[in-house]
Amino acid sequence: MNEFEDLLNSVSEVNPGDVVTAEVLTVDNDQANVVIEGTGVEGVLTLRELTNDRDADINDFVKAGDTVEVLVLRQVVGKDTDTVTFLVSKKRLEARKAWDKLVGREGEVVTVKGTRAVKGGLSVEFEGLRGFIPASMIDTRFVRNTEKFVGQEFEAKIKEVVPAENRFILSRREVVEEKAAAARKEVFSKIEEGSIVKGKVARLTSFGAFVDLGGVDGLVHVTELSHERNVSPKSVVSVGEEIEVKVLSIDEEAGRVSLSLKATTPGPWDGVEQKLAAGDVVEGKVKRLTDFGAFVEVLPGIDGLVHISQISHKRVGNPKDVLSVGQEVKVKVLDVNADAERVSLSIKALEERPAQAENEEKRQSRPRRPKREAKRDYELPETQTGFSMADLFGDIEL
């Protein structure tokens, strides 16, 4: 009877909600049997009350002889015996301590771990406490697939803490935005118009390529990707590729940077005078046709103009009547202007001039004689020699 009374007295010293120290007696079947120090009362600590990881091994957390601090949850009385035990939790005690630590920390940036993709956002863990990041607060752009954050550790800002409601809201987007703003400020402080910088191709569009300069995305317009005309961005660069670009313009207020890739590579017109000169006869390919002539590629990236008057000795109404795109032609270089990036070409200069055309040209080139005034074989009426009608008919009576 005395022993039973001692047991009841010890039990009365343990109540749900108490924080106690317990010694692990045995570990078996995903639970540890413990004894609460100073009472002799036994308790049960399950794997579920140790961690949120259902696939974990309890032996990785506790072993016989360990001393652990736990939270008393409730009393459990054996059905077939008079033994009295308590269900205890280490996980919930850590959560309570975490809540205490969180109070008043709104606005602080902490490191969390993504645990589960849930409806409307992402569930995260911070020091044993479960938090929630709404989908709109995960990144600067809306994230539909939140699974990629599960298992990752990242920084997030504490937005709201309500322990009584177990409400713990965080925002990763604000951290990303703040870091991006700091990175932009640093990038803009280092780059200047005309400078050559390194970057990584971030994404491709139909109108160009965006290059990450280390926190700022600059645009290489499709016209600045290559010296060639009408190129596709994906045929010049690929996502993830590191490239050197020239800074064309900077608009820090709008956060825009215009870049050029072709400005960092030799152009087809560099040193063209050593490759092409007036009088040269070369072969080329018709690249495009216009109403006033044909553009023929005579060197890679260099198109010369064959004016409609230089296509044939015969009259040409439209270049499309005698030439076609892709046609190989032989042309004579008439003029090279590297500064203006213009080359004048002629096809007819390599063709034999027809006799009819030659005579026509001779006639057109022969100087015309001034017209002689036709000799008059009549006399002007006296009315135009200074006489008046009165002088002629003055004596006639009417």
Side-chain angles (χ1 to χ4, degrees):
M1 289 295 296
N2 291 335
E3 291 179 0
F4 186 70
E5 288 179 2
D6 292 340
L7 179 59
L8 290 177
N9 291 334
S10 64
V11 170
S12 63
E13 296 177 5
V14 179
N15 298 291
D18 289 349
V19 177
V20 299
T21 301
E23 181 183 352
V24 179
L25 299 176
T26 61
V27 179
D28 189 30
N29 294 329
D30 287 341
Q31 75 175 33
N33 296 314
V34 302
V35 58
I36 299 174
E37 291 185 352
T39 66
V41 177
E42 293 186 0
V44 176
L45 177 61
T46 64
L47 176 63
R48 186 172 182 177
E49 296 301 332
L50 276 169
T51 177
N52 289 324
D53 186 357
R54 303 294 178 86
D55 298 324
D57 185 351
I58 192 172
N59 294 287
D60 294 335
F61 295 89
V62 291
K63 60 181 182 296
D66 286 350
T67 299
V68 292
E69 189 177 33
V70 292
L71 175 68
V72 178
L73 299 180
R74 65 178 183 273
Q75 181 178 319
V76 180
V77 179
K79 294 181 179 180
D80 300 328
T81 64
D82 294 332
T83 57
V84 178
T85 59
F86 285 88
L87 181 63
V88 297
S89 173
K90 186 173 185 294
K91 180 182 72 175
R92 300 192 196 192
L93 177 60
E94 291 174 347
R96 175 189 286 186
K97 291 180 178 180
W99 278 114
D100 292 339
K101 291 180 180 179
L102 282 178
V103 175
R105 294 176 64 181
E106 286 86 352
E108 186 177 334
V109 176
V110 295
T111 300
V112 299
K113 183 178 181 179
T115 55
R116 189 159 59 98
V118 296
K119 184 178 180 180
L122 179 70
S123 180
V124 298
E125 184 178 357
F126 172 65
E127 296 184 0
L129 191 64
R130 181 176 298 174
F132 177 69
I133 302 180
S136 61
M137 295 186 181
I138 294 177
D139 209 340
T140 53
R141 297 183 179 88
F142 182 76
V143 178
R144 294 187 180 276
N145 180 21
T146 58
E147 289 284 351
K148 63 181 181 179
F149 292 98
V150 175
Q152 290 189 15
E153 288 190 350
F154 52 85
E155 290 183 332
K157 180 178 286 189
I158 299 173
K159 297 295 294 179
E160 190 177 354
V161 178
V162 185
E165 301 177 7
N166 288 333
R167 186 176 178 83
F168 180 26
I169 308 297
L170 304 100
S171 172
R172 177 180 176 273
R173 184 191 66 199
E174 291 189 21
V175 175
V176 173
E177 288 175 342
E178 290 174 2
K179 287 185 176 181
R184 281 196 299 270
K185 186 175 181 180
E186 183 178 357
V187 170
F188 280 119
S189 68
K190 293 180 178 178
I191 63 174
E192 57 184 13
E193 292 184 8
S195 61
I196 305 297
V197 295
K198 289 184 178 181
K200 183 178 291 186
V201 179
R203 61 188 188 280
L204 301 176
T205 67
S206 59
F207 53 85
F210 285 93
V211 179
D212 182 6
L213 302 178
V216 174
D217 282 357
L219 173 64
V220 181
H221 193 266
V222 64
T223 57
E224 293 295 333
L225 281 171
S226 173
H227 292 286
E228 297 182 19
R229 294 185 177 92
N230 302 321
V231 297
S232 169
K234 64 181 179 181
S235 67
V236 182
V237 294
S238 56
V239 174
E241 181 182 355
E242 290 190 356
I243 58 176
E244 282 192 343
V245 289
K246 182 178 181 179
V247 179
L248 299 181
S249 64
I250 301 171
D251 187 343
E252 185 172 355
E253 185 175 347
R256 288 196 295 263
V257 180
S258 296
L259 307 170
S260 174
L261 177 61
K262 75 177 184 181
T264 64
T265 59
W269 292 92
D270 294 341
V272 69
E273 296 91 344
Q274 285 74 45
K275 306 173 186 176
L276 209 61
D280 289 351
V281 176
V282 296
E283 291 187 353
K285 180 182 291 186
V286 178
K287 300 293 288 186
R288 63 188 190 279
L289 298 170
T290 67
D291 293 339
F292 55 84
F295 286 92
V296 178
E297 185 180 46
V298 290
L299 289 173
I302 295 181
D303 294 349
L305 172 64
V306 180
H307 191 267
I308 189 170
S309 63
Q310 292 295 326
I311 293 178
S312 174
H313 290 287
K314 297 179 181 179
R315 184 180 182 278
V316 177
N318 191 310
K320 294 180 181 179
D321 297 337
V322 293
L323 296 172
S324 58
V325 174
Q327 180 180 347
E328 299 282 348
V329 293
K330 186 174 289 188
V331 292
K332 182 176 182 178
V333 179
L334 301 180
D335 181 61
V336 178
N337 189 333
D339 294 334
E341 296 187 353
R342 286 201 302 264
V343 175
S344 298
L345 306 171
S346 175
I347 295 176
K348 79 175 186 180
L350 301 177
E351 297 176 350
E352 186 176 350
R353 184 180 303 169
Q356 182 179 355
E358 186 174 354
N359 293 335
E360 179 66 24
E361 287 187 9
K362 285 182 178 179
R363 284 199 300 271
Q364 292 178 358
S365 61
R366 185 182 301 160
R368 293 182 179 182
R369 295 179 179 177
K371 290 184 178 180
R372 294 182 179 178
E373 187 176 350
K375 188 174 182 180
R376 294 195 301 266
D377 56 357
Y378 59 88
E379 294 294 333
L380 289 172
E382 292 181 341
T383 54
Q384 298 182 28
T385 62
F387 294 96
S388 66
M389 296 298 290
D391 294 332
L392 294 174
F393 303 104
D395 297 334
I396 300 176
E397 295 183 359
L398 300 176

